[in-house]
Each structure stands twice: as C-alpha cells, then as structure tokens.
Amino acid sequence: MNILMLTPYLPYPLLSGGQIRTYNLLKKLSKKHKITLFALIKDHQEKEHIPELAKYCSEIQVFKRSSTPFTLKNILQTGLSSYPFLVIRNHVPEVTTAVKKALATNTYDLIHAETFYMMPHLPKTTIPTLLVEQTIEYVGYESYAKKAPLFLKPFLAIDIAKIKHWEMYYWNTADSLIVMSDEDKSYIQQYVKNPEKVEVVANGVDTKWFNEKSEKKVKKPTVLFVGTFKWLPNVEAVTFLAEKVWPAIRAAIPDALLWIVGNAPTEKILSYQNTPGIKVTGTIPDIRDAFAGSDLLIAPVLSGKGTRYKVLEAMASGTPIVATHTAVEGLDVTNTVHAMIADEPEQLAEQVVTLLQNKDLRKSLADKGRAFVKKRYDWSLIADELDSIYKKFGTTSRD
C-alpha cells in the first residue's frame, strides 16, 4: 500500500514515547508498504536525522514549527481562534499545501495521522484517514488544570474545552481510530458515532534489543525513574516521588540512590540533585545503560492516558518494577507477578524497600516481566496488528 503519514515530531532520535512508537513501526511496516512521511521539526538541526528515517520511508518532508511553544504569535492566535493552543502550536500552513500537492500527484491508499492535532492539516479528501491517539489529550490537561495556580484556571478551562471539542470532532471524522489500550477504547467509544471503528494497537518494545545488555553490579541500592519531561504527567510523577515517596525509602535504606533519567528535565527537577541520594542525569545515549545500572524502576504516574514505554522497556530489560495503577493501565500486568503495584506514597515506598532487600523477589519479577512483554508487546506483533487495520481501511474510500 502507498501511505501518507503525518507526525508532530521527527521520529528520530528516540527521545519521546511518540518517537519510539513511530520509528519502530516504520521499521516493521516499511517491509510491506511504501510510506511517505511529513513531520514537524522545531530546529533545522533535526534534519541531520533524516538519513536514518530514509531507510524506511520512500519520501520525507519536514516542516518547521516554532522552537518554543509559548511565543507571542501562538498565544495571540489561540485567543482569536476556535482551535486550542495545542493545535495552534503544531499548525504549519505549509503542511496543508504539501499534502494537497502530494494528493494531487500521487495515489495514496491511506492517510495515517499521529495525534488529533495533525488532522487540521488535511484537506477534504476521499482517501481513508486513520487517526492514532497515543493519549487522550484533554483528560491529561484536565488533571494538570486541577493543580494549576488559581489565576490560570479560567484560561486553562477555556483551552481544555477547545481541546475536548476538536479531539472528539476528529475522533468522529477519522475513518479508523487507533488507541493504546482497552481502557482508552472503552472511554472513546462513548463519544463516537461508530464505536466499531475504534481499535487497540498498543505500544510495544524491541525485546531483543533491550535484552542485549546484561545487568551491571550496582554499588548502592539504585532506584530508577525514566521519562521525558516535556510530558506533564512525568513532571508530576517525579515531584510526587521526590517529595512524598523518596524520604521514606531513604529513611529505611540510608545509602539508597534515586536516579532520574529523561529528556528535558525542568529547573525544579534539576534542583532535586540537592536532595541527599538523588541524581538527575537527563538524556543518556543508551537508555539500556540506565536499566542495567539500576536495581528497579519506579513509575509513580498519577495522571494521563496511554501506555508507558518505561514500563515495557524495564520489563524487556529484566528490571523489576514498582508502579501505580495508572502507570500500568491497559497492560494487563498482574500485581506481585509482573510488577508491584500501589498508589499511596507509603505503600510505594514500602514496596521499593521490600524489593531492594529481596534479591529473589527482584529476579522473579524480572524473569516473568521479560517473558510477558516478549509474548504480548514485541514490536513485530504490534506492527502486524496495525498492518491488518491498514489493509482493512485502506482498501475502500469514503462514500
């Protein structure tokens, strides 16, 4: 099939969950389909990564959006538009022009859009459109707004209402809607006219690649947190971890180390380095080194939808996990078998301490977690599921 794919990021390097997903699916799907990629970039230096993606795409075009989100232009346009800030900051008129030209000069079987906020770039067309919702955006922003400063709440309420309106609008206009979990599917099916078009294609993991590095001997009991900090739920999770959970762990195991790894740490997150027993590294060249150099992963995620790559990657690496229910939502993991699950800070701290002091339990969780992801979440399996949907929706045009 000939597919036109639109993404709000260049799918390489692998700094975010979206990039990880798109890159791995491109690698697998390119063996069966001819894919044209239109991607947004924030910096012209990102173009240096195009050759890596050219291995899997027949054509790549990139379009520059603003380097930082909160520009005066974006803020003013949001105030004057029915679109929310999320759409405005990711809207590049040149994309629509390029899409029109591509549709006029090529025969595409399917248009694949990652995230609802890429959908406004599409002109009216009879070509089937597949929308992938990696998370339910307005739900995540609602969680953030509840904890925002009082003076921001009215502005956030207006913008979130816009996000909700347009997100649901594109849920209904897309011919096929892909979500990450059964929970997301059930939630969205309440708001679409055709519930049957909503299907689950979960996130995955390259189990072979993550299994290549062996565990290193750790000098201190080391607890790992992984996540890009451009995603608000990760900032919230680290704050909760450092301020509510870590003190109890440190009190029980005085030499324990919390290692925070992730792209674009905020100033507040960097400041946690001043707390005894906390190290903030930011991005590292090979994320496998973080898993190999830790005793366990903690994922105290409190809000947001979508599958957490950190959980799948930890399992594939043989790293035992302590997580909240939100962090493992939709993965079908079993508490005490594949991970230790709790939501209250005291319980999370207690489980971390128990794991750090029990090597046999860590090994049991690691072995069962690795087997679980290999059977359920390897990218080859995930790509086959998406391929079957491509074939179903790409063979017929809209009426």
Side-chain angles (χ1 to χ4, degrees), residues 340-389:
M340 304 294 285
I341 305 171
D343 292 318
E344 296 303 319
E346 297 83 5
Q347 294 175 320
L348 288 166
E350 182 180 331
Q351 290 183 339
V352 168
V353 171
T354 298
L355 267 182
L356 288 176
Q357 295 175 338
N358 190 328
K359 186 176 181 180
D360 290 339
L361 180 56
R362 292 202 305 274
K363 187 177 186 308
S364 175
L365 290 172
D367 291 345
K368 291 174 182 176
R370 183 183 278 123
F372 177 74
V373 295
K374 185 176 182 179
K375 181 179 179 181
R376 294 279 299 273
Y377 292 102
D378 189 83
W379 277 122
S380 59
L381 304 173
I382 304 301
D384 286 344
E385 292 175 6
L386 183 56
D387 179 56
S388 66
I389 296 172

Side-chain angles (χ1 to χ4, degrees), residues 145 152-163:
L152 278 179
K153 288 183 182 291
F155 301 101
L156 290 172
I158 294 171
D159 201 60
I160 291 168
K162 290 182 181 181
I163 295 175

Side-chain angles (χ1 to χ4, degrees), residues 115-392:
T115 74
F116 87 92
Y117 45 90
M118 290 303 290
M119 293 288 283
H121 293 108
L122 298 180
K124 188 174 182 180
T125 178
T126 58
I127 299 170
T129 301
L130 179 147
L131 169 60
V132 178
E133 283 284 73
Q134 296 181 16
T135 185
I136 301 174
E137 295 287 351
Y138 81 85
V139 172
Y141 280 93
E142 282 178 339
S143 297
Y144 170 75
K146 291 176 183 177
K147 300 161 187 172
L150 191 61
F151 75 93
L152 278 179
K153 288 183 182 291
F155 301 101
L156 290 172
I158 294 171
D159 201 60
I160 291 168
K162 290 182 181 181
I163 295 175
K164 185 175 183 178
H165 168 80
W166 286 107
E167 195 163 19
M168 290 185 176
Y169 173 82
Y170 287 115
W171 289 351
N172 279 289
T173 58
D175 295 285
S176 176
L177 183 58
I178 305 299
V179 295
M180 304 298 104
S181 67
D182 287 325
E183 286 79 5
D184 285 4
K185 176 180 178 179
S186 298
Y187 186 90
I188 289 177
Q189 281 181 322
Q190 304 172 70
Y191 302 102
V192 293
K193 297 175 183 176
N194 179 15
E196 294 182 1
K197 74 177 181 180
V198 186
E199 300 194 56
V200 176
V201 179
N203 286 321
V205 65
D206 188 337
T207 56
K208 182 175 181 294
W209 187 75
F210 275 96
N211 200 30
E212 287 174 356
K213 288 214 173 186
S214 57
E215 183 180 349
K216 299 177 183 177
K217 288 186 177 180
V218 182
K219 294 181 179 179
K220 294 183 177 182
T222 302
V223 178
L224 176 68
F225 178 94
V226 173
T228 177
F229 298 110
K230 292 184 178 181
W231 179 231
L232 291 175
N234 282 333
V235 176
E236 178 186 44
V238 165
T239 303
F240 173 72
L241 170 59
E243 298 178 7
K244 303 292 185 181
V245 182
W246 185 247
I249 297 171
R250 184 78 172 178
I253 306 178
D255 64 337
L257 174 68
L258 172 60
W259 187 12
I260 300 171
V261 175
N263 182 39
T266 64
E267 288 186 14
K268 183 176 182 180
I269 290 172
L270 289 171
S271 73
Y272 288 132
Q273 294 183 107
N274 299 321
T275 302
I278 297 181
K279 178 176 71 171
V280 181
T281 301
T283 302
I284 61 175
D286 190 336
I287 192 62
R288 294 176 298 178
D289 291 331
F291 292 114
S294 305
D295 290 296
L296 63 90
L297 174 86
I298 185 166
V301 181
L302 303 175
S303 63
K305 291 282 187 179
T307 306
R308 321 295 170 182
Y309 285 97
K310 60 175 74 73
V311 172
L312 298 178
E313 291 173 350
M315 286 185 178
S317 302
T319 304
I321 299 162
V322 173
T324 57
H325 285 86
T326 299
V328 296
E329 183 182 57
L331 292 178
D332 291 333
V333 302
T334 302
N335 188 20
T336 72
V337 176
H338 306 116
M340 304 294 285
I341 305 171
D343 292 318
E344 296 303 319
E346 297 83 5
Q347 294 175 320
L348 288 166
E350 182 180 331
Q351 290 183 339
V352 168
V353 171
T354 298
L355 267 182
L356 288 176
Q357 295 175 338
N358 190 328
K359 186 176 181 180
D360 290 339
L361 180 56
R362 292 202 305 274
K363 187 177 186 308
S364 175
L365 290 172
D367 291 345
K368 291 174 182 176
R370 183 183 278 123
F372 177 74
V373 295
K374 185 176 182 179
K375 181 179 179 181
R376 294 279 299 273
Y377 292 102
D378 189 83
W379 277 122
S380 59
L381 304 173
I382 304 301
D384 286 344
E385 292 175 6
L386 183 56
D387 179 56
S388 66
I389 296 172
Y390 273 4
K391 291 174 180 175
K392 180 167 61 175

Side-chain angles (χ1 to χ4, degrees), residues 51-65:
E52 173 63 25
L53 295 166
K55 299 174 186 176
Y56 314 112
C57 301
S58 61
E59 179 186 352
I60 300 172
Q61 292 190 43
V62 295
F63 306 86
K64 191 176 183 306
R65 62 169 180 155

